[in-house]
Amino acid sequence: MKVTSGDEFEELANSFNNMARQLGRQFNALTTMSEIDRAILSALDTERIVRTVLSRMREFLPYDSFSVTLLDPKGQNPGRTFMESDHRLKLVENIEIPSGELERFIVNQELLLINSPETLPPYLAKNMGSGIKSVVLLPLFFKKELAGIITLGSFRSSTPDQEDLDQARQLADQVAVALANAQLLEDLDALNWGTLRALARAVDAKSPWTAGHSERVTEKALQIGRVMGLTPEELDNLHRGGLLHDIGKIGIP
């Protein structure tokens, strides 16, 4: 609605138009956020969560560069940074973040703002690309440990809009929950595989002269399965079956 009467009606119309634009923007942001929430909370693996976040964030956050860095909360392994490039997921491995930089996130758990490209930390500068003038860093925590960082880069050096920052922080919190769920499932899967290998070794302990047989058979079966073109799910079942194929020996004198 455009009014050019030059009086209080024009001022009222302009206020109404601004409010309508703001409400429309908020509605679109909430709709997109809801879709992202459903997608990431239903994902069961880390890479799928990251891919979903990177592909959808630009739909409601006015930034030019997006990345997600995943860290080992125990500090035993280097980090990995995922970026979207030409609609493809790019992975940069062996990300080392100095302890001083990590401490900044512990102190500032909501977000960090960097408005000068000269002050970008080395681990960011080499991955952000040229032209980035300001950066928003959103830490992700799991069990009070820093588990990741969402990075938003902008070609502008102006102060970010508070509403955008609030929405970005809300998304980061949801991503942290989704990544925590995925990590728990990955830990449970690792525990299951550990149990299977322990059972296979129990068979070997029962029959020392065939020590390592179950694992050797498993590896040969997987090699054949890959040549046959079995699906990942079929290879997974073959892997389990190979480890357990002699389990009955445990009960034989």
Side-chain angles (χ1 to χ4, degrees):
M1 179 176 64
K2 186 174 182 180
V3 178
T4 58
S5 58
D7 54 15
E8 64 271 15
F9 290 105
E10 180 178 348
E11 184 178 347
L12 179 62
N14 290 336
S15 298
F16 178 80
N17 290 335
N18 289 334
M19 183 179 66
R21 280 193 295 271
Q22 188 174 6
L23 287 174
R25 177 186 172 193
Q26 291 177 344
F27 178 78
N28 290 334
L30 288 173
T31 301
T32 304
M33 280 282 291
S34 177
E35 293 173 355
I36 294 176
D37 286 348
R38 286 197 298 271
I40 63 175
L41 291 177
S42 64
L44 300 179
D45 65 89
T46 299
E47 187 168 320
R48 183 180 171 190
I49 293 170
V50 171
R51 188 184 300 276
T52 301
V53 171
L54 290 178
S55 65
R56 300 297 302 275
M57 281 172 61
R58 64 179 67 252
E59 295 181 21
F60 73 102
L61 290 175
Y63 288 87
D64 306 295
S65 174
F66 301 86
S67 69
V68 177
T69 298
L70 299 180
L71 305 172
D72 180 359
K74 299 178 182 178
Q76 297 177 348
N77 299 302
R80 299 174 293 155
T81 294
F82 295 85
M83 296 173 286
E84 188 186 24
S85 178
D86 297 325
H87 303 290
R88 298 178 62 185
L89 196 64
K90 178 183 176 183
L91 173 61
V92 179
E93 297 190 272
N94 299 319
I95 301 296
E96 297 286 354
I97 302 180
S99 58
E101 291 294 330
L102 294 175
E103 186 63 28
R104 291 177 67 190
F105 292 109
I106 302 300
V107 175
N108 303 280
Q109 296 194 5
E110 287 298 312
L111 56 86
L112 283 174
L113 300 177
I114 300 176
N115 287 319
S116 172
E118 289 77 18
T119 60
L120 278 179
Y123 72 91
L124 279 178
K126 65 180 181 180
N127 295 327
M128 291 300 296
S130 60
I132 296 298
K133 295 183 178 179
S134 64
V135 174
V136 177
L137 301 171
L138 302 160
L140 308 174
F141 286 90
F142 174 47
K143 293 183 178 179
K144 298 183 179 181
E145 299 286 344
L146 183 64
I149 305 165
I150 293 179
T151 304
L152 313 176
S154 175
F155 295 141
R156 301 167 299 281
S157 57
S158 57
T159 303
D161 182 79
Q162 186 59 47
E163 184 179 338
D164 291 334
L165 293 180
D166 291 342
Q167 291 172 347
R169 183 63 258 174
Q170 181 183 348
L171 174 62
D173 291 339
Q174 290 295 81
V175 172
V177 171
L179 290 175
N181 291 341
Q183 184 61 54
L184 290 173
L185 288 174
E186 289 169 8
D187 290 346
L188 180 60
D189 189 56
L191 179 63
N192 287 336
W193 282 111
T195 301
L196 292 178
R197 292 189 179 94
L199 287 171
R201 288 169 187 148
V203 173
D204 292 341
K206 185 79 173 182
S207 177
W209 60 277
T210 59
H213 167 74
S214 295
E215 292 179 335
R216 289 194 298 273
V217 166
T218 300
E219 183 55 36
K220 290 295 183 184
L222 289 173
Q223 291 175 1
I224 294 171
R226 294 186 190 102
V227 173
M228 292 173 62
L230 298 185
T231 66
E233 183 178 356
E234 289 171 332
L235 288 172
D236 197 55
N237 290 332
L238 184 61
H239 194 169
R240 296 173 192 275
L243 290 173
L244 297 177
H245 80 279
D246 267 346
I247 195 67
K249 286 184 178 179
I250 290 180
I252 297 176

